[in-house]
Amino acid sequence: MASERRTIVLTGASDGIGAVAARALAGPSTNLVIVGRSPRKLAPIAAETGATPFTADFANLSEVRELATQIAGTVNSIDVLMNNAGGTFSPSMRTADGHEPNFQINHLAPFLLTNLLRARLAAGGPSLVLNTSSVGNLAGSVDLDDLDFERRRAFGGRTYGTAKLMNILFTRGIAQRWTDDKIYSAAVHPGPAATSFGRDSRLVGLAYRSPLAKLVTITPEQGAAPLIALAERGADPSVNGVYFSRHKPNGLENRQAHDQRLIDGLWEKSAELTGLT
């Protein structure tokens, strides 16, 4: 059985919907661990919520490994792991590990972190891995032989959408592999929240900051609401493997999202690329 005081680990907590979720989930009944890229931006959130802060840049997998070690050394078990860190990035760039940044930061890094924290997720009884995905998954296309877009034409919407599709495939991989440990997983599209999303991609950033964006975007509080609701719901077997479009289960998905060959193949390739095999 999980302890009365729940442990929640939340990445991407320094601003936007992650910061809103941190404030909402903090409290005397929660041992909150927050992760961000910028110590300067994370510090006030930690001070406000009483959370334990850790910093890591997901563009560097060695920092993700160190993060996992730090978290595992701080908590005995994890009730909810919220993989919320990510964004949209110029696909012409490469990470410290040589990967296309949308692929690494949105998928490979949380894949690695989650696998390294599996023992802590299994330790306290039923637990939930919650992956922040996007309706952008509809624009994605996973090619197991070209995960880094070295051969295919790479542009922001496609590379970001592919990474968000991978979040759903990863969710289904957990649901199929870790149920015996009572580790459940769900993915969620929070909605088009007006945050600093897109700051690392010039075109997407401009679109999000345009006057027209105000007509179609929702507030960070609205965007965080489905994440908060699922985190508070916790390890409910009925959400296992489910993709939520905001609060609604079974949201619009790419046709590849249930492809068993891709669910298995992406897991195997990701494990190889992160040194887990």
Side-chain angles (χ1 to χ4, degrees):
M1 293 292 292
S3 62
E4 261 184 61
R5 192 163 186 255
R6 294 200 312 163
T7 295
I8 298 177
V9 177
L10 169 61
T11 70
S14 57
D15 64 8
I17 62 174
V20 173
R23 294 185 186 102
L25 295 168
S29 63
T30 302
N31 175 26
L32 183 63
V33 176
I34 58 174
V35 179
R37 183 172 61 172
S38 163
R40 178 185 60 80
K41 291 170 70 175
L42 195 64
I45 309 297
E48 186 180 341
T49 60
T52 303
F54 293 110
T55 55
D57 184 349
F58 280 18
N60 191 325
L61 293 178
S62 67
E63 292 194 24
V64 177
R65 293 185 188 95
E66 177 60 25
L67 171 65
T69 300
Q70 291 173 324
I71 293 173
T74 303
V75 303
N76 294 322
S77 63
I78 297 170
D79 296 282
V80 182
L81 170 60
M82 301 173 71
N83 286 319
N84 176 64
T88 180
F89 308 91
S90 169
S92 63
M93 307 292 286
R94 283 294 180 266
T95 66
D97 304 280
H99 295 296
E100 193 279 315
N102 292 281
F103 170 50
Q104 176 166 329
I105 295 168
N106 291 295
H107 168 67
L108 268 190
F111 174 89
L112 175 60
L113 179 65
T114 305
N115 274 272
L116 293 176
L117 293 176
R118 179 180 179 179
R120 291 293 183 268
L121 286 160
S127 62
L128 175 69
V129 177
L130 183 59
N131 297 315
T132 301
S133 183
S134 169
V135 69
N137 83 85
L138 293 168
S141 176
V142 174
D143 180 344
L144 295 175
D145 296 318
D146 191 25
L147 295 174
D148 276 307
F149 280 87
E150 291 171 322
R151 294 198 314 271
R152 292 178 292 165
R153 185 168 171 240
F155 49 91
R158 190 183 194 194
T159 51
Y160 172 74
T162 299
K164 295 290 100 180
L165 171 57
M166 289 174 177
N167 294 153
I168 301 174
L169 293 168
F170 177 41
T171 294
R172 305 244 151 92
I174 294 173
Q176 294 173 1
R177 287 165 171 78
W178 294 358
T179 307
D180 286 349
D181 285 336
K182 291 187 167 56
I183 300 172
Y184 307 119
S185 185
V188 59
H189 164 55
T195 66
S196 62
F197 174 87
R199 64 178 174 260
D200 297 295
S201 173
R202 187 174 62 85
L203 287 176
V204 176
L206 283 172
Y208 260 70
R209 288 189 295 273
S210 75
L212 287 175
K214 292 183 173 60
L215 301 176
V216 294
T217 56
I218 59 177
T219 66
E221 287 72 22
Q222 290 171 313
L227 278 75
I228 295 164
L230 283 165
E232 289 177 338
R233 186 171 175 178
D236 180 350
S238 70
V239 308
N240 199 27
V242 176
Y243 167 63
F244 288 80
S245 180
R246 290 192 45 75
H247 297 281
K248 184 182 177 184
N250 306 314
L252 285 175
E253 292 178 339
N254 191 297
R255 60 183 177 79
Q256 291 187 324
H258 282 280
D259 187 325
Q260 193 61 49
R261 183 185 69 86
L262 294 178
I263 293 169
D264 294 335
L266 180 64
W267 188 289
E268 291 159 10
K269 295 266 187 177
S270 299
E272 290 170 14
L273 291 170
T274 53
L276 291 172
T277 56

